[in-house]
Amino acid sequence: MFVHLHVHSPYSFLEAGSSIQDLVDQAAALEMEALALTDRNRLSGAVAFTRAARAAGIRPLLGAEVTLTDGTHLTLLADGPEGYATLSQLLTHAHLSRPRGEPAVSPEALEEHHQGLIALSGCRRGEIARRLLWGDRSGALRAAQRYASLFGRENFYIELQNNRLPGGRALNAALREIAQRAGLEWVATQNVHYATPDRFPVYDALTCVRTGTRLPDVHPERRLNGTNYLTSPQEMAALFPDDPRALQNTLEIARRCRPALPEKPPNRFPAFPTPRGESTIAFLRRLTYQGAWRRYGRLTPAIRRRLEHELAVIEKLDVADAFLVAWDLVRFAQARGIRHAGRGSAADSAVAYCLGLTEVDSIRRGLLFERFLSLERAQKPDIDLDFEAERRDEVAAYVSRRYGADHVASVCTFQTYRARSALRDLGKVLGFSDEEIGPLAKRFPHIPADRIPQAIQELPELRESRLPLERYQLLFELAAQVAGFPRHIGTHLGGLVLSREPLARVAPLERAAKGVTILSVDKDDVEALGLIKLDLLSLRTLSAVGTATRAIQVREPSFRYEAIPLDDRATFQMLGEGETVGVFQLESPAQRALQARLGADSIEDVVASVALIRPGPIQGDMVEPFLRRRRGLEPVTYVDPRLEPILEKTYGVVLYQEQVIEIATVIGGFTPGEADQLRRVMTHYRSHQEMERIGRHFIEKAVARGTPREVAEVIFSYIVGYAGYGFCEAHAAAFADTAYKTAYLVRHYPAEFYAALLSHQPMGFYPPNTLVHEARRRGVAVLPPDINRSEKHCTVEEGRIRLSLSLVRELGETDVEEILAARASRPFTSLQDLCRRTRLTREGLTYLILAGALDRFDPNRRRLLFSLEEALRHREQPLTPGGSGPAQQRLDLAPRGPRPEVEDFSPDQRLLLEYEALGLTTQRHILTLLEPELRRMGVTPARQLRQMEAGQPVRVAGLLIRPHRPPTRSGRTVIFLTLEDPTGLVDATVFEHVYQRDGEAIFGGYPVLVVDGRVAWRGKGVSVEATRVRAFRRSPKLAPAAPGGAAG
Amino acid sequence: MRRIVAPITLTLPGQAGASHPAPPAGAVPAVLPLPGSTFCWRGRRYVIEAILDSWQEAGCWWEGEPVTEGFHVAFRGGGTGILLFRQPRGPWVLDRIDD
């Protein structure tokens, strides 16, 4: 019959209209025995395609349509694993030897890398077809002979296509003639760019996106028609009626090719260089026990048993190298004073603890190793290490040096279309202006593009908006169809892959922004290639901790972050009041509300907190029972006594993934590895029937071990209630350590810590303005930037935070460095001096003035602005030694004569302008401008809510901070939002019926909201249950300046 | 070739009558001006001798324009022309002629 050998998926970037799954499904529906994937200059879809094809019973053929340096195309197919490695190297060369985004294969590269490849002559942009279209028959024949000589006659085919283009018949006749004269075979392909004809419109629209054109525009890359789909064998026979050989040859090629990617990939992780004569596992064992002595002091039999168990699994899975590589990195970081912390399921490992990869004692916490690594799952270990953000790249550079640049690369990430990006790109194509599409796109929450139709129906901020939605009908339809299609390839923030053999043989490498070399395979597909991904993540919190620690040590040299006591009463008291703005993991409104109810008094409570505010516990109805039992309001009971040791730390509530594994082990008799697999299956279950089947399996095993059936059913209901969303306890414990310690810093060193948070933005939940006013509420004064005192980062001056120069708008990193460098020789003496000694732009200087950074020269900021022009003009006139020019310039004399009389900005104006310059205010809160009006409206300040009783009606208002809608137990929408006013933060809860009516106000982009509702108390936390939400639309009236510039 | 753009009634060989409904457009043309097909234009009867080339155009699909099949045909007795067929029901159009 026929096999398609020239097919593009969305990994050809804006050149395909159907997903890989849709292509495979259609090929299966057409009963094709095989399908090739030949994306443009990439193999990024190889793993997903192979997986999908195998699942559908179709043999996957891998290849690529490559661009040659002369601009022509060539279709290449891998005839097996060697061919795949060759193609991967060829594509790597094509990407790395050329400017980014312009890969091309040179004849020399093709000469070097062609073994194991079957080549087809390509589409109309193939050299042979192109020459024929130009009328150069002899040139076409020579090209055919050249390719035949390079690849071998049996590995090069002339490619015929019938996409119903003018001149197609004549071209195909000429191509056949060339083939016959050159002694070559020929094949028919359809140059497929989508699965079915109805996907042509979206493909055409994406072509416009790619070429920067609109639909009515003509462009040579626009296809004339929609025939580039997966045609059936019958259609191919009709398109090539007198040429069955062209169709038959596709089958012969398909049957020649062996699987390019093996079902079980080999272990490609590099062998760690161990001391001579010592095996990897022996070296790991030695290091583990050395670490164990350091950690535990005395090695009990239980500790030894645990370590030996883990080492045995590590040895059987042949992953000791991964642990040693991670240990080596941590050692490097420690030697250079780079802050680090382990996270994730690696904290389930006692070996990881002994090696210093994590700070979680998994033995003491009773954490199950099998959550991290098990024989049954046989997956590669996922080791995640956080490093302070600014120095993470030093660690990555070390990896590259240690293992060889050819053997290390960053993992890539694909930025794919979601609702907003799809609307923007396709909106342009349909001719809408940026001014129209921008606001429309912003109305949509961050949802997948295929949820656009649903969002329009269900979300009040769209339904009730005054936008003419029917005008965008076609746009919505097209946007929904590109859900998940890759748009760009970029660097994954932390993932690195290391390989024993040169990585280019495993998958193609290319260059991302900033010259980073990336493996062009998605992070989730890396393991299928036999690679292990190490996550070296940048955590700005660690950077903030480092900065704060250094600042604290200026006045308290003995302070050590690692030595912070884990039982500080004052810190727990602060947590219990929900005063956690700035605390890692515990600062969101939901967390603040939880802390106020929980009253944490131990690190265990903090661990539980991290795990509780997640979709799973909320949807699984765990939060309330946990809190009630924790506070002794409800008895803790166990339906089976064997559950007690597993669940007592969480008061009988299933909270952690490790607990599910333990329950399945103890009650159901599963091995820990089987239990972890069970957990994973439950996480990804696709249907109710599947979950029922799992339930029956569990219950039967439990009953066989003597558990009464009804008890087994109840126990299973605990696990099902959690399914899919529970948190990994090890990860929670790892995070809790940092969460508690940052809380300690907030409580005892607020100036240093908030200065550090402000220095490492963007980070955390709250914007800088909120952090500044939180610091002020804690009694820490905040000083505006000062041209002669401020640094690149915020600093602490006698217990007060001095804002940095970096916070000033329009000042980039180089500007700040220039200021600091110039200032190093001597301080600036005037605006004119500053202008002369730096090349700051007019905008940068303006914002420095408005931020108050130049108040030392003249407290009248308006007058400073007026003199800016002259100062800039003097800068443009270069000094000529001995020449003419005002004597003042050469001698740096201050301007003579009285200062011009200029009335300064009013206090209100200064406040607004400060906000514009810094994005925050340092003395008064920006909302004080609205205070008279808000008072007239009967708004209650945030601070006064604590004096009110539950159920009392109240009106609150403030700057809107990050409204969000987490998933809920009931499935109905609940919005949590925070309003900030001059006295503090107010949390408000908006339930579904209010959201349906007022959602437009919440998500319409309004900066200030007014919320009517009732006071709600939960534990020590107070909030407002909203009954009405409105946008405050009036812009603030500024109080007129009094004569002489005094406060008005 | 001269541009004509005139609707015609194409009679396929062995068939009397006007255009017929065609199935939805795919890669394979659902209609063909087979050799022996005839039409009349300006009092003269044309007989299709052979199909020299064929193509398909998607048109301005975003404005609802239908798919058009195009055929470069040779006439019995000399001359060629271009016939267009708008999916799904036509009509046939004599687009150009070179006689």
Side-chain angles (χ1 to χ4, degrees):
Chain A
M1 283 220 293
F2 175 75
V3 167
H4 279 286
L5 297 178
H6 184 147
V7 180
H8 290 269
S9 81
Y11 286 102
S12 287
F13 280 31
L14 306 178
E15 274 199 66
S18 297
S19 64
I20 284 179
Q21 191 61 57
D22 284 349
L23 288 166
V24 167
D25 287 347
Q26 181 61 10
L30 294 172
E31 296 179 358
M32 295 195 164
E33 66 178 68
L35 182 68
L37 183 66
T38 55
D39 280 320
R40 188 167 309 289
N41 299 315
R42 276 208 176 81
L43 285 169
S44 303
V47 171
F49 172 69
T50 300
R51 197 181 294 133
R54 282 184 179 146
I58 292 178
R59 222 148 25 79
L61 310 174
L62 295 180
E65 184 177 15
V66 303
T67 310
L68 306 182
T69 43
D70 62 0
T72 58
H73 292 179
L74 193 63
T75 314
L76 297 176
L77 297 166
D79 72 357
E82 263 312 303
Y84 172 84
T86 299
L87 185 55
S88 180
Q89 288 174 289
L90 191 63
L91 291 174
T92 297
H93 187 271
H95 281 277
L96 296 186
S97 64
R98 303 262 308 167
R100 186 171 147 236
E102 296 171 24
V105 172
S106 66
E108 295 74 27
L110 206 48
E111 195 71 43
E112 196 184 334
H113 303 291
H114 58 268
Q115 301 77 8
L117 295 179
I118 298 172
L120 314 181
S121 63
C123 57
R124 284 189 172 206
R125 288 182 64 174
E127 184 182 355
I128 295 163
R130 200 152 86 164
R131 288 189 180 278
L132 287 172
L133 288 168
W134 288 342
D136 179 13
R137 283 198 178 224
S138 52
L141 178 61
R142 276 196 304 276
Q145 287 163 338
R146 187 176 5 103
Y147 281 121
S149 167
L150 172 67
F151 288 101
R153 211 167 287 280
E154 66 287 0
N155 296 324
F156 180 67
Y157 291 73
I158 298 294
E159 190 174 346
L160 272 54
Q161 294 172 346
N162 186 359
N163 289 109
R164 309 293 320 291
L165 300 176
R169 279 194 189 197
L171 177 61
N172 281 345
L175 284 166
R176 276 189 209 95
E177 190 200 323
I178 294 290
Q180 283 158 347
R181 286 175 65 187
L184 299 169
E185 289 292 336
W186 59 93
V187 283
T189 71
Q190 193 61 8
N191 197 1
V192 174
H193 287 265
Y194 39 94
T196 47
D198 61 309
R199 299 294 289 196
F200 168 68
V202 72
Y203 166 70
D204 196 31
L206 287 175
T207 304
C208 290
V209 173
R210 184 163 48 85
T211 54
T213 54
R214 299 167 318 141
L215 280 175
D217 298 337
V218 174
H219 191 279
E221 299 226 13
R222 295 279 295 282
R223 302 276 171 179
L224 186 66
N225 58 47
T227 62
N228 299 85
Y229 61 94
L230 277 176
T231 38
S232 68
Q234 295 76 19
E235 282 175 305
M236 288 306 288
L239 289 169
F240 290 87
D242 304 315
D243 200 354
R245 186 167 166 183
L247 308 181
Q248 182 62 31
N249 279 339
T250 64
L251 280 172
E252 282 177 19
I253 291 175
R255 289 169 185 168
R256 270 175 68 181
C257 294
R258 289 160 299 120
L261 296 181
E263 296 225 25
K264 277 182 69 77
N267 181 5
R268 291 197 150 109
F269 201 74
F272 187 79
T274 52
R276 202 149 30 128
E278 205 167 7
S279 69
T280 316
I281 192 65
F283 185 51
L284 179 65
R285 172 175 273 104
R286 182 156 65 83
L287 289 175
T288 300
Y289 275 95
Q290 278 172 5
W293 281 110
R294 263 197 314 275
R295 291 286 202 191
Y296 296 108
R298 188 175 78 85
L299 297 189
T300 63
I303 292 173
R304 285 184 189 277
R305 263 197 309 276
R306 172 63 178 252
L307 292 179
E308 285 304 321
H309 167 68
E310 290 194 17
L311 288 167
V313 174
I314 291 170
E315 183 174 11
K316 276 217 180 70
L317 291 176
D318 192 23
V319 292
D321 293 299
F323 283 80
L324 291 172
V325 168
W327 164 79
D328 183 51
L329 293 185
V330 165
R331 199 170 56 138
F332 168 83
Q334 264 165 353
R336 274 160 184 68
I338 301 173
R339 227 158 250 292
H340 60 90
R343 64 151 78 190
S345 57
D348 278 305
S349 165
V351 167
Y353 179 60
C354 294
L355 291 177
L357 305 184
T358 77
E359 290 306 305
V360 175
D361 183 351
S362 52
I363 298 179
R364 189 183 58 76
R365 291 196 65 86
L367 297 176
L368 274 182
F369 179 62
E370 278 69 17
R371 169 62 188 81
F372 173 55
L373 213 54
S374 75
L375 292 174
E376 287 87 347
R377 218 170 74 222
Q379 274 181 304
K380 303 284 184 280
D382 201 1
I383 301 179
D384 298 339
L385 298 168
D386 286 327
F387 294 94
E388 54 176 291
E390 286 166 348
R391 302 191 66 188
R392 177 257 176 206
D393 287 349
E394 281 177 56
V395 182
Y398 169 72
V399 175
S400 197
R401 281 195 310 274
R402 187 101 159 89
Y403 300 99
D406 284 350
H407 297 254
V408 178
S410 291
V411 166
C412 80
T413 186
F414 290 100
Q415 282 124 37
T416 58
Y417 272 122
R418 294 178 64 82
R420 289 187 181 186
S421 49
L423 290 169
R424 286 197 189 102
D425 277 4
L426 292 168
K428 273 197 199 100
V429 163
L430 289 174
F432 296 111
S433 69
D434 290 344
E435 290 72 36
E436 188 175 357
I437 284 304
L440 172 70
K442 276 209 183 110
R443 290 254 166 185
F444 284 78
H446 293 285
I447 53 174
D450 55 2
R451 286 199 43 211
I452 288 174
Q454 189 187 359
I456 294 166
Q457 296 302 316
E458 293 180 357
L459 301 184
E461 59 265 37
L462 288 164
R463 211 179 53 221
E464 311 300 333
S465 73
R466 283 177 277 275
L467 296 167
L469 296 177
E470 60 288 346
R471 181 171 148 76
Y472 308 113
Q473 206 45 49
L474 180 59
L475 172 59
F476 294 148
E477 278 168 25
L478 290 174
Q481 290 179 58
V482 299
F485 283 15
R487 297 168 71 214
H488 303 298
I489 189 170
T491 313
H492 182 261
L493 281 181
L496 281 189
V497 280
L498 291 70
S499 172
R500 205 171 291 201
E501 59 191 297
L503 263 174
R505 287 181 55 84
V506 181
L509 302 168
E510 49 183 278
R511 209 172 281 114
K514 294 187 192 165
V516 174
T517 302
I518 51 175
L519 193 76
S520 59
V521 166
D522 188 80
K523 59 178 174 30
D524 295 328
D525 292 340
V526 148
E527 199 169 315
L529 296 173
L531 296 169
I532 298 182
K533 177 171 70 75
L534 262 187
D535 266 310
L536 307 184
L537 300 153
S538 298
L539 194 58
R540 286 180 192 242
T541 299
L542 288 182
S543 296
V545 164
T547 302
T549 300
R550 284 186 290 276
I552 295 167
Q553 285 168 343
V554 168
R555 61 180 169 101
E556 245 184 73
S558 62
F559 173 80
R560 277 188 62 236
Y561 172 79
E562 295 74 15
I564 285 176
L566 294 182
D567 57 358
D568 180 63
R569 290 255 63 79
T571 300
F572 283 117
Q573 189 176 354
M574 183 189 82
L575 286 178
E577 281 159 9
E579 298 288 339
T580 54
V581 171
V583 176
F584 180 65
Q585 290 290 308
L586 302 183
E587 61 174 345
S588 69
Q591 275 290 356
R592 287 190 289 109
L594 175 72
Q595 294 306 319
R597 298 176 63 196
L598 178 58
D601 63 12
S602 72
I603 196 72
E604 276 308 319
D605 286 334
V606 181
V607 177
S609 303
V610 172
L612 270 171
I613 302 299
R614 303 280 163 178
I618 294 169
Q619 284 177 301
D621 192 20
M622 284 166 231
V623 182
E624 297 307 317
F626 180 90
L627 286 174
R628 282 199 299 272
R629 295 177 188 194
R630 165 71 180 69
R631 301 183 58 205
L633 298 176
E634 188 180 287
V636 179
T637 56
Y638 301 97
V639 71
D640 185 303
R642 290 172 292 175
L643 295 180
E644 185 169 352
I646 302 170
L647 299 180
E648 66 177 326
K649 74 169 89 161
T650 50
Y651 307 98
V653 171
V654 177
L655 197 56
Y656 304 124
Q657 295 168 349
E658 288 87 340
Q659 288 170 323
V660 171
I661 298 172
E662 272 190 281
I663 290 171
T665 308
V666 166
I667 304 292
F670 292 84
T671 66
E674 282 175 336
D676 185 56
Q677 277 185 311
L678 172 72
R679 179 193 67 79
R680 281 172 173 262
V681 168
M682 288 168 66
T683 305
H684 297 114
Y685 80 95
R686 281 178 286 246
S687 68
H688 193 60
Q689 288 89 335
E690 194 173 339
M691 187 54 87
E692 276 189 4
R693 192 186 50 75
I694 296 168
R696 276 196 298 278
H697 183 51
F698 174 85
I699 290 165
E700 289 318 317
K701 288 197 74 151
V703 165
R705 284 165 61 85
T707 307
R709 180 169 291 274
E710 53 281 4
V711 170
E713 283 169 1
V714 169
I715 294 174
F716 187 71
S717 74
Y718 290 168
I719 312 176
V720 164
Y722 135 101
Y725 299 111
F727 209 61
C728 167
E729 182 182 349
H731 188 48
F735 268 5
D737 185 72
T738 307
Y740 169 83
K741 286 175 177 160
T742 54
Y744 182 92
L745 291 178
V746 166
R747 175 63 184 79
H748 293 286
Y749 303 97
E752 286 85 358
F753 192 61
Y754 280 110
L757 290 179
L758 288 165
S759 298
H760 293 283
Q761 295 291 312
M763 62 172 288
F765 191 89
Y766 299 99
N769 188 60
T770 307
L771 295 174
V772 162
H773 293 285
E774 181 68 18
R776 288 179 66 233
R777 275 192 286 278
R778 289 174 186 270
V780 177
V782 178
L783 306 173
D786 182 296
I787 195 66
N788 278 337
R789 297 190 74 110
S790 288
E791 304 288 340
K792 192 168 152 184
H793 288 160
C794 299
T795 50
V796 176
E797 284 175 18
E798 290 162 4
R800 300 170 301 177
I801 296 175
R802 168 72 68 187
L803 293 183
S804 65
L805 294 170
S806 308
L807 286 172
V808 178
R809 195 166 154 188
E810 295 294 329
L811 283 198
E813 204 173 322
T814 34
D815 297 317
V816 172
E817 276 159 15
E818 189 189 17
I819 292 171
L820 297 177
R823 195 174 83 190
S825 52
R826 63 184 189 286
F828 298 106
T829 54
S830 65
L831 173 61
Q832 292 75 7
D833 184 39
L834 176 64
C835 288
R836 255 198 316 276
R837 290 164 59 195
T838 66
R839 304 306 301 171
L840 300 176
T841 61
R842 173 184 282 105
E843 290 73 26
L845 288 159
T846 301
Y847 285 119
L848 274 170
I849 292 170
L850 296 178
L854 308 189
D855 281 0
R856 59 169 53 240
F857 303 146
D858 186 349
N860 185 329
R861 293 176 190 175
R862 201 201 294 261
R863 189 161 55 201
L864 270 179
L865 278 181
F866 277 19
S867 50
L868 177 59
E869 278 312 310
E870 194 179 329
L872 285 172
R873 204 169 41 248
H874 285 180
R875 173 164 86 181
E876 297 316 313
Q877 295 169 8
L879 289 173
T880 48
S884 60
Q888 285 175 329
Q889 281 176 267
R890 276 195 290 244
L891 298 178
D892 277 335
L893 290 177
R896 281 195 305 227
R899 286 175 169 179
E901 275 304 315
V902 174
E903 200 177 299
D904 196 5
F905 297 115
S906 70
D908 285 356
Q909 285 173 323
R910 277 167 79 100
L911 187 73
L912 262 182
L913 293 167
E914 182 187 31
Y915 192 85
E916 194 180 322
L918 292 170
L920 54 87
T921 58
T922 54
Q923 308 305 312
R924 284 164 60 199
H925 195 278
I926 189 78
L927 233 55
T928 53
L929 294 173
L930 297 178
E931 251 168 2
E933 187 146 3
L934 293 178
R935 240 191 332 267
R936 272 198 299 280
M937 288 173 70
V939 166
T940 301
R943 183 177 48 207
Q944 284 180 21
L945 277 182
R946 296 201 154 266
Q947 277 102 56
M948 297 178 71
E949 288 188 4
Q952 261 188 281
V954 70
R955 173 172 287 170
V956 292
L959 288 177
L960 176 62
I961 296 176
R962 291 192 59 174
H964 60 291
R965 59 188 112 191
T968 58
R969 184 158 61 87
S970 61
R972 291 171 73 76
T973 303
V974 179
I975 313 281
F976 293 99
L977 54 90
T978 302
L979 302 178
E980 183 186 328
D981 76 12
T983 68
L985 300 177
V986 176
D987 295 319
T989 311
V990 181
F991 290 103
E992 172 105 33
H993 63 288
V994 177
Y995 162 64
Q996 286 296 333
R997 187 192 62 213
D998 299 338
E1000 205 273 334
I1002 301 170
F1003 294 104
Y1006 305 103
V1008 179
L1009 294 190
V1010 178
V1011 173
D1012 292 340
R1014 296 193 176 277
V1015 173
W1017 278 95
R1018 301 185 97 188
K1020 290 194 187 156
V1022 65
S1023 65
V1024 174
E1025 259 180 39
T1027 51
R1028 188 165 168 222
V1029 181
R1030 286 171 292 159
F1032 185 92
R1033 281 186 169 84
R1034 246 189 304 271
S1035 55
K1037 285 197 182 62
L1038 301 176
Chain B
M1 276 204 195
R2 288 183 291 138
R3 191 98 200 268
I4 307 297
V5 193
I8 56 172
T9 302
L10 188 75
T11 304
L12 298 180
Q15 223 188 45
S19 321
H20 45 77
V28 179
V31 291
L32 284 175
L34 296 167
S37 305
T38 60
F39 67 91
C40 289
W41 180 65
R42 287 209 177 152
R44 181 180 156 184
R45 187 166 171 273
Y46 291 85
V47 181
I48 310 284
E49 180 70 27
I51 301 174
L52 302 173
D53 196 11
S54 80
W55 60 90
Q56 190 185 93
E57 291 179 50
C60 300
W61 53 266
W62 57 94
E63 287 172 2
E65 193 180 332
V67 171
T68 302
E69 300 281 355
F71 302 93
H72 185 199
V73 298
F75 299 121
R76 195 171 294 168
T80 67
I82 291 183
L83 303 183
L84 302 178
F85 183 85
R86 288 218 146 162
Q87 291 284 7
R89 282 182 166 74
W92 284 97
V93 171
L94 175 64
D95 188 66
R96 288 170 203 267
I97 199 157
D98 174 16
D99 55 1

